[in-house]
Amino acid sequence: MHIQVPGEAEILALWERGLTRHPIDRALLLYAWTRPDLPASNFPDLPLGTINKALLRLRETCFGPRIIACMDCEHCGTRMEIALDTGQLLAGIEDDTPSKLDDITAEFEVSSFRFRVPCSRDLAAISGERDLKAAAVKLLEQCCLEYPKNGDAGFGSLLVEAEAAMEALDPAAGINLSLSCEACGENWMVDFNIGTLLWDEIDVRARSLLAEVHSLAQAYGWTEPEIFALSSQRRAAYLDMVGV
Ligand SMILES: [Zn+2]
């Protein structure tokens, strides 16, 4: 699927529309950019991995494949820099994913309970739950399609098996990074949320575009479309002259 590069005015439009939205909706808004050919009303029901893979490709289209993230070691607090590559991340999650998953919802069975893999609508439904275990059980309830007739086992006892099945069917739903700290030698796992990362980068880009428009509009009286129509070289030269 070819993803169109959003222009400056389009980056600003996406940012404006996403600014007041919940992170789950922001991810769907960005996904919509990658699939203008599909009806947006179905996006909340798509498997999470479908959204994540498209957002990794969109990230590559907008800002290139290299991702540099900074975080503190969970154990000793040392600041560390992590270099990631969208191609490598995609290669790690696409191997086992049947391409048909992109448009359908995968289902599986555990102890005669029938489930489907989670989608954004499910994440929204559990977003208020602070307790991790309770959230996992609630997510399973959300994804349950069929109960066994005489089944009285609680969802809690199905968690481990169901989560493993979900991960096997939709490996891109959760991207885990294995990190190790050079200072203390500890290893640990973190969740990598491409939706949040990409939104933060779009936010930074949009605010810097607004600052450029502000400086040039103030100095020359040009409108936003007039400023966006300038080549990047001309714009940089004018910004230089107004002392930005
Ligand atoms: Zn450390």
Side-chain angles (χ1 to χ4, degrees):
M1 188 75 208
H2 174 74
I3 298 176
Q4 204 200 328
V5 186
E8 292 176 327
E10 288 154 340
I11 290 265
L12 268 190
L14 279 170
W15 173 78
E16 192 175 23
R17 288 178 61 199
L19 200 55
T20 56
R21 295 196 193 191
H22 187 277
I24 298 170
D25 290 325
R26 284 176 181 164
L28 292 176
L29 176 72
L30 297 176
Y31 178 78
W33 176 265
T34 72
R35 296 305 304 256
D37 54 321
L38 296 178
S41 55
N42 297 340
F43 297 164
D45 299 313
L46 288 173
L48 296 173
T50 302
I51 310 285
N52 283 342
K53 283 184 283 183
L55 295 190
L56 277 169
R57 292 194 196 97
L58 178 60
R59 190 330 172 142
E60 196 172 300
T61 304
C62 292
F63 303 113
R66 207 169 146 70
I67 299 171
I68 303 288
C70 286
M71 63 180 74
D72 297 333
C73 169
E74 276 190 5
H75 302 275
C76 71
T78 301
R79 190 82 170 154
M80 48 195 278
E81 201 180 79
I82 307 149
L84 302 168
D85 181 276
T86 50
Q88 278 172 9
L89 289 168
L90 278 167
I93 50 183
E94 274 188 322
D95 290 348
D96 306 313
T97 316
S99 55
K100 62 179 191 264
L101 238 191
D102 279 356
D103 297 307
I104 61 150
T105 299
E107 297 177 9
F108 62 95
E109 214 173 281
V110 176
S111 304
S112 304
F113 285 72
R114 186 140 199 85
F115 297 101
R116 56 174 173 72
V117 295
C119 61
S120 301
R121 207 183 287 286
D122 303 321
L123 281 192
I126 65 162
S127 63
E129 185 59 66
R130 291 286 156 256
D131 180 73
L132 283 182
K133 172 95 189 278
V137 170
K138 199 168 169 188
L139 184 72
L140 214 51
E141 282 174 18
Q142 280 285 125
C143 295
C144 187
L145 300 169
E146 239 177 82
Y147 300 76
K149 288 205 173 67
N150 301 313
D152 54 7
F155 284 99
S157 64
L158 308 175
L159 260 185
V160 174
E161 210 180 324
E163 283 178 351
M166 283 172 175
E167 199 184 323
L169 279 170
D170 192 17
I175 306 171
N176 292 308
L177 301 177
S178 169
L179 301 179
S180 60
C181 172
E182 283 181 11
C184 71
E186 291 283 350
N187 301 296
W188 73 102
M189 302 286 284
V190 288
D191 284 339
F192 173 68
N193 189 324
I194 181 61
T196 309
L197 173 103
L198 185 54
W199 174 262
D200 288 347
E201 290 177 326
I202 285 176
D203 186 58
V204 169
R205 182 87 187 96
R207 289 179 196 278
S208 110
L209 284 171
L210 289 173
E212 290 183 8
V213 169
H214 170 73
S215 302
L216 294 178
Q218 211 172 31
Y220 301 107
W222 297 332
T223 64
E224 191 182 82
E226 282 169 344
I227 293 166
F228 284 157
L230 294 170
S231 70
S232 55
Q233 292 86 344
R234 280 192 197 196
R235 198 195 304 171
Y238 284 121
L239 284 168
D240 224 24
M241 283 184 262
V242 297
V244 177

